Structure formats: C-alpha cells, structure tokens
Amino acid sequence: MTELDLWLDSYDDIYSDFDSRHYLKRRISEDFLYELRREMKYKEHNAEGLFLLLPQEQRNEESEKVIVSSLSDFFRRQFLFHQLKCRGKLRKGILTLLSGIMIILLNSWSDFPLSPSHIIVSIKALLEPAGWFLIWASFDFLFYDFTRLKNERDFYKLLSEIHIYFKSA
C-alpha cells in the first residue's frame, strides 16, 4: 500500500491559525493542503492511506476521530464543489466556442446580400473580430484553464477516497 506520511507537531498544524473553533468546524490550513499536494506530486502511485504522524504524548483518540471525520468531510465537499465548478466551466467554454462559430457563420452569411448597405458592412465589421475572439478565448480556456481546474478536482477526488490514520512517530 502506498502511503502519504506527514509529520505534525500538534493537531493544530492541520487547521488555520486564525480559526479557534472546535475541530469539526475549523478551516483547514493552506499550509497543510500545500504539503499534501507536494507529497502527492512525488508519489508514483495514488496513495491509499494518509498517515499523520504525531509524538505519542500529543495524541488523543477522541480528537483523532473528530479530526478524521472533519478532514474526510472537508475533502468530500471540496471534491463535489470542484466537480460542479469543472462542469460549469466546461459548459461555459463550449458555449463560448459555439457562440464564436455561430457569429462567424452569421458573418459569412452577411456576404451574400444582393446590395451591400452601410448597415450590413457595419454589422460585418463588428461580427468578424467578435467571432474570432470568442473562438480563441474558448480555446485558451479549454486547453489551459480547464486543465488547472481538473487538476484541483482530481486532487480532492484522491483525498476524498483516501483513508486517514494517525500514528505515533
């Protein structure tokens, strides 16, 4: 079994320093998430277990149960949030691409009137750059930004499926 090991000085290393609420309600620390990303990046295979290492004298079984529940819930909620965000952004990118194509088609259709008027020429001058802009903007999103969103979604997907354990070091 491939595992992720993170050393903690105390349970507070998992949570934001600015949040003093109970473990069930506290915000997860950005530093903790950064270290998880870094550890997962260097693992060859997907990790099946996250082992949080603490000195024996710092451990408390009741707190650990609450923290495991809190972390699992957080990772699950973040995965669902990022999954919905990916779907919405993908839909928006595809609609932008289709809008650009429709504008280009409408622009090419305006080449066929029998008598060109100033209005048609003005509309054509507006539609052509708008269509190309929408097409290239959607390509930029679909090939670059969407990849970043998928990576974030995949990160939380792996964490939502991982088993969390505490261990003495």
Side-chain angles (χ1 to χ4, degrees):
M1 172 167 90
T2 307
E3 57 186 55
L4 292 172
D5 295 321
L6 290 179
W7 176 261
L8 304 173
D9 293 326
S10 72
Y11 297 125
D12 291 332
D13 289 348
I14 299 170
Y15 298 101
S16 171
D17 294 335
F18 302 102
D19 193 350
S20 62
R21 295 178 292 177
H22 187 267
Y23 291 132
L24 278 174
K25 297 179 181 181
R26 288 178 77 179
R27 285 186 308 270
I28 305 300
S29 166
E30 290 295 321
D31 292 337
F32 179 72
L33 293 173
Y34 172 79
E35 289 300 322
L36 276 175
R37 275 188 188 88
R38 200 169 66 99
E39 283 297 313
M40 290 179 81
K41 183 178 178 180
Y42 296 114
K43 293 292 179 185
E44 292 181 21
H45 304 289
N46 294 340
E48 296 172 12
L50 170 60
F51 288 87
L52 302 173
L53 308 171
L54 278 161
Q56 180 63 40
E57 61 274 2
Q58 294 282 334
R59 294 193 57 198
N60 177 333
E61 267 189 55
E62 291 303 313
S63 293
E64 289 174 3
K65 289 177 186 176
V66 171
I67 291 170
V68 167
S69 171
S70 169
L71 284 174
S72 296
D73 185 50
F74 173 78
F75 294 145
R76 209 173 11 265
R77 282 182 292 131
Q78 288 299 309
F79 167 63
L80 293 174
F81 170 77
H82 285 89
Q83 186 175 32
L84 289 174
K85 190 175 179 180
C86 273
R87 285 182 188 159
K89 294 285 187 172
L90 179 61
R91 188 176 304 123
K92 184 178 178 181
I94 291 171
L95 286 174
T96 303
L97 177 63
L98 293 175
S99 298
I101 291 170
M102 294 303 292
I103 288 173
I104 294 285
L105 291 174
L106 180 64
N107 185 38
S108 64
W109 175 76
S110 69
D111 280 341
F112 295 109
L114 297 174
S115 62
S117 68
H118 291 295
I119 293 173
I120 298 291
V121 171
S122 298
I123 290 173
K124 186 167 174 48
L126 289 173
L127 290 180
E128 190 166 350
W132 284 112
F133 172 77
L134 289 174
I135 287 174
W136 287 111
S138 66
F139 283 159
D140 182 52
F141 169 75
L142 291 171
F143 290 114
Y144 297 107
D145 294 342
F146 189 64
T147 302
R148 182 182 47 81
L149 290 173
K150 279 188 356 186
N151 289 342
E152 192 73 6
R153 179 200 63 197
D154 293 345
F155 169 70
Y156 283 110
K157 181 179 191 310
L158 290 173
L159 288 175
S160 70
E161 297 169 348
I162 204 167
H163 296 287
I164 303 168
Y165 306 98
F166 281 91
K167 190 163 81 169
S168 298

